Amino acid sequence: MDKVTCIAFFLYHTSKSQDIRDLAIQLLNGDVSIRDLKRNNNFQAVLLLAESSIRKNKIDKNQVHKFAEEFMLLEV
């Protein structure tokens, strides 16, 4: 899994805020970039935690895959 998908998964599953969950889905679909989120002070701490978890391989790749299948929009 790529870094963006893992970060989107982490944001979605660790937050109870619907706004953050919506941003996670937008990140997964490419509507928002990680750079955009890093500019927002409200998301910097959460993004650092997500990136740290990814580096330490604390994210289950099978769950990330299921998350991507469920929420990724495909345009034909």
Side-chain angles (χ1 to χ4, degrees):
M1 288 281 126
D2 66 315
K3 179 180 176 182
V4 174
T5 304
C6 290
I7 290 174
F9 168 81
F10 185 86
L11 290 175
Y12 187 86
H13 285 287
T14 59
S15 177
K16 293 181 182 180
S17 167
Q18 188 60 40
D19 291 336
I20 293 177
R21 287 180 167 213
D22 291 340
L23 280 173
I25 293 170
Q26 290 175 8
L27 179 64
L28 177 67
N29 289 305
D31 298 330
V32 173
S33 70
I34 292 176
R35 180 178 283 168
D36 294 336
L37 294 179
K38 283 185 177 180
R39 289 181 189 155
N40 187 336
N41 291 334
N42 297 332
F43 296 107
Q44 287 179 352
V46 177
L47 285 173
L48 287 174
L49 186 60
E51 290 175 337
S52 173
S53 293
I54 291 167
R55 274 188 241 117
K56 294 177 183 177
N57 286 328
K58 291 188 176 184
I59 294 180
D60 183 6
K61 303 297 183 186
N62 290 327
Q63 289 182 352
V64 174
H65 188 263
K66 289 177 185 178
F67 168 76
E69 283 181 352
E70 183 176 349
F71 292 106
M72 187 175 284
L73 301 176
L74 298 177
E75 294 184 26
V76 183

